[in-house]
Amino acid sequence: MNHGGPPRVRPSRDDLLAAADRLLPDVIAPGLDVLLCGINPGLWSAATGHHFARPGNRFWPALHLGGFTPRQLRPDEQDTLPGYGLGITNLAARATARADELTRDELTAGGVILRAKVAEHAPRWLAVLGVTAFRTAFGVQAAKVGPQDGAPLGATRLWILPNPSGLNAHYRLADLAAEFARLRETAQRG
């Protein structure tokens, strides 16, 4: 669903293949309410330069339906997120067609880099989108969707959200939005 603005441009197959070498910059600022952390950029996102850009990814609808934004933003509006107290980063920088193409070492190294970003920018909450990737990156096998107690992230509290990829059949959009809303409500309480 396009909510006004420029139409989505569909990258060609060649654009997608070339995107594997591109890095997608973080949308981050000091003191955010919530820093949302994806697993890694998909090829579509790397090709367009926008996080969660692939049609069918439910991040932007869940963010809005969860009450974080007053309307559903488009991926090309990602730079407005800090104005809502939000930011986006990824566990791994390498763009892939599917997150399961990442190695354990890449995710573990990404966890180290993510800890450094959190230490530098001090968001109130870090929300990792993908429980399996979080377990690998942080070595916490018992982690489940929801708030995490005892996370070694200083004053930043940790929450795990489901992966919003359209490939994640375990969560419908309404279920994703409900999890986003739980985080928002908890973050608003303090």
Side-chain angles (χ1 to χ4, degrees):
M1 172 185 305
N2 189 346
H3 293 273
R8 285 196 179 177
V9 176
R10 292 187 71 87
S12 70
R13 184 175 190 287
D14 288 340
D15 293 335
L16 293 175
L17 293 173
D21 294 330
R22 290 198 195 121
L23 297 179
L24 192 57
D26 292 336
V27 177
I28 196 168
L32 295 170
D33 294 325
V34 179
L35 177 60
L36 298 144
C37 179
I39 299 168
N40 73 309
L43 296 178
W44 197 291
S45 289
T48 63
H50 302 109
H51 292 271
F52 302 103
R54 185 177 183 82
N57 190 297
R58 299 161 305 165
F59 173 82
W60 296 102
L63 192 69
H64 168 62
L65 294 171
F68 279 106
T69 59
R71 65 176 177 80
Q72 183 177 322
L73 300 176
R74 299 180 316 269
D76 66 331
E77 295 176 294
Q78 68 187 17
D79 292 334
T80 66
L81 287 176
Y84 297 108
L86 305 171
I88 301 176
T89 189
N90 287 293
L91 270 171
R94 182 168 69 96
T96 61
R98 296 173 51 107
D100 62 7
E101 295 174 39
L102 296 171
T103 67
R104 174 175 289 283
D105 288 345
E106 284 176 292
L107 290 172
T108 301
V112 171
I113 293 167
L114 181 58
R115 285 180 183 96
K117 287 179 189 179
V118 167
E120 178 183 351
H121 295 286
R124 288 183 41 238
W125 286 89
L126 171 66
V128 178
L129 289 93
V131 69
T132 303
F134 172 82
R135 288 174 181 158
T136 302
F138 285 81
V140 181
Q141 295 310 307
K144 295 183 174 155
V145 168
Q148 308 300 303
D149 294 326
L153 295 173
T156 298
R157 300 198 48 211
L158 178 63
W159 195 286
I160 299 176
L161 288 168
N163 182 345
S165 167
L167 299 174
N168 182 1
H170 298 294
Y171 283 86
R172 298 180 333 227
L173 177 56
D175 301 324
L176 281 170
E179 292 298 332
F180 275 69
R182 273 195 332 136
L183 168 58
R184 181 189 49 80
E185 291 161 4
T186 302
Q188 285 178 336
R189 285 194 301 265

